[in-house]
Amino acid sequence: RRRQRLKKAAAMPMEEALIARLNGAATINTITGDGVPGPAGRQAISWFDRQRGDPLPGITLSKISPGREYDHSGPDRLDRPRVQIDCYARTSAAAAALHRAVRAEMEAGADVAGIRFHPAQLDGEGWTFDGEEDGGEPLYRASQDFLFYFEEL
């Protein structure tokens, strides 16, 4: 009789797991509206781009560097990317509140969807007034750059 190996379920990609993590954080959801999609089904938290009309307050994630770690035999199990997290809102107070909620979540470790996120290190931040969107409504942005290790469980 042959032994059957149980195959470990594949982990969600880090990018999807990070969105799930931020969407699952109560303090962030209180500010972003519990993940309710905006126009055309766009979410308040997304990778790479923010388009006019996207839900506000909202978060845009950008990978600045892949953070691939190597040893003598090649890539190791831990990656340490730098991810920029931009918090957008109509008021500076709302952008600051979202900024604080994101920082608190990222500086804690978490296991989400088969990915272990180790506590992040804040590596840079900035605040800007991005001007006005169509209709003359103001848009504020609070940016944070985080370095963090992650690995598949």
Side-chain angles (χ1 to χ4, degrees), residues 14 17-18 21 69 76-81 83 102-112 114-122 146-153:
M14 181 279 292
L18 184 54
R21 177 183 180 182
E69 300 282 332
D76 67 11
R77 289 190 51 200
L78 286 173
D79 284 343
R80 187 178 188 222
V83 174
V102 166
R103 184 179 59 216
E105 178 63 28
M106 293 300 296
E107 288 179 341
D111 293 345
V112 178
I115 299 291
R116 172 160 292 150
F117 291 96
H118 296 267
Q121 296 173 332
L122 180 62
F146 289 100
L147 294 165
F148 59 89
Y149 285 105
F150 76 91
E151 61 189 310
E152 288 188 18
L153 294 174

Side-chain angles (χ1 to χ4, degrees), residues 23 25-26 28-37 43-44:
N23 273 324
I28 293 171
N29 277 324
T30 299
I31 298 167
T32 61
D34 296 324
V36 176
Q43 298 292 323

Side-chain angles (χ1 to χ4, degrees), residues 4 11 17-18 22 24 27 30 37 40 45-46 50 53 57 64 69 77 84-85 91 106 122-124 134 136 152-153:
Q4 289 186 338
L18 184 54
L22 296 174
T27 54
T30 299
I45 302 173
S46 63
R50 187 188 172 285
I64 304 302
E69 300 282 332
R77 289 190 51 200
Q84 180 175 318
I85 301 179
T91 67
M106 293 300 296
L122 180 62
D123 190 53
D134 296 338
E152 288 188 18
L153 294 174

Side-chain angles (χ1 to χ4, degrees), residues 32-94:
T32 61
D34 296 324
V36 176
R42 304 235 347 139
Q43 298 292 323
I45 302 173
S46 63
W47 279 94
F48 309 118
D49 69 336
R50 187 188 172 285
Q51 297 179 12
R52 291 185 185 278
D54 279 358
L56 287 172
I59 297 171
T60 300
L61 309 165
S62 301
K63 192 184 293 185
I64 304 302
S65 63
R68 196 94 162 128
E69 300 282 332
Y70 295 89
D71 58 26
H72 291 292
S73 61
D76 67 11
R77 289 190 51 200
L78 286 173
D79 284 343
R80 187 178 188 222
R82 175 189 310 265
V83 174
Q84 180 175 318
I85 301 179
D86 293 320
C87 302
Y88 292 93
R90 293 273 179 232
T91 67
S92 60

